[in-house]
Amino acid sequence: MKQRLGILLSGRGSNFEAIARNVLNGTLACEIGFVFSNRPEAPGLQLARELGFDVASFPSKGIDRAAFDEQVAKLLHQHRVDLICLAGYMRLLTGGFVSQFSGRILNIHPSLLPAFPGLDAQHQALVHGVKVTGCTVHFVDENLDSGPILLQSPVPVLDNDTVESLSARILREEHRIYSEAIAWVLRGNYRIEGRRVIQT
Ligand code: GAR
């Protein structure tokens, strides 16, 4: 039986789209079992609907974080999801959620972590003046943009870069390495030693 992905997103959903295209064309040997957004109006959720996936959404406003995550976890269990991929999901997950899916949650972040965690990583890179930034796929723990690193891709910062031009070049790499990392985790040929993810 094919392994099943659960996608959590909050916005545009271009990483979700890249993953979905690879699933639909057979490059990624798995199914997308469920797509959830904390923002009912997220364009990524609309796309998921159009592609025919099972979707759900409810806003987080006014709901206790643990209770919210518990509802999301319930849906992920109901849809028998094996691996959860955060694709621009702009919420910090509670410890209770992370421990239920320990070692089975991935995130993509638009910097070479541990540099520039949090919001607006591309802006942070420009302001800091780094010459190279990039993107990172990592396992998720209860801290922000933390957890053992699976894959990274460097992207040079050009003198005439704006946040938009830099973000666009990073995004191309995000779309490439996220599917690569998912395929690797689904194959299961890795072990984690401390913070290091080692190919076996
Ligand atoms: C992506 O750049 C992703 O790396 C970033 O949000 C964007 C979502 O775009 N995630 C984070 O910053 C997580 N800390 P998308 O909705 O088009 O995939």
Side-chain angles (χ1 to χ4, degrees), residues 11-16 87-88 90 107-110 118 122 145 171 174:
R12 176 178 57 185
S14 74
N15 275 288
F16 155 64
M90 296 314 201
N107 182 41
I108 181 118
H109 183 74
Q122 305 92 334
D145 298 323
L171 200 60
E174 293 187 39

Side-chain angles (χ1 to χ4, degrees), residues 102-124:
S102 177
R104 295 194 292 134
I105 314 172
L106 304 183
N107 182 41
I108 181 118
H109 183 74
S111 74
L112 294 176
L113 289 170
F116 315 129
L119 292 176
D120 303 322
Q122 305 92 334
H123 175 73
Q124 292 186 54

Side-chain angles (χ1 to χ4, degrees), residues 48-74:
R49 244 185 237 113
E50 285 164 21
L51 290 173
F53 297 121
D54 274 358
V55 304
S57 178
F58 43 87
S60 46
K61 213 170 163 209
I63 308 177
D64 167 72
R65 276 182 65 226
F68 182 87
D69 276 6
E70 198 42 54
Q71 289 181 46
V72 179
K74 211 169 143 188

Side-chain angles (χ1 to χ4, degrees), residues 12 14-15 110-111 121-123 126 133-135 153-158 160-176:
R12 176 178 57 185
S14 74
N15 275 288
S111 74
Q122 305 92 334
H123 175 73
L126 278 178
T133 182
C135 51
S153 181
V155 173
V157 180
L158 308 179
N160 59 355
D161 258 333
T162 59
V163 171
E164 290 72 29
S165 63
L166 180 59
S167 301
R169 288 204 312 288
I170 295 173
L171 200 60
R172 278 203 292 277
E173 288 305 295
E174 293 187 39
H175 294 167
R176 187 177 65 77

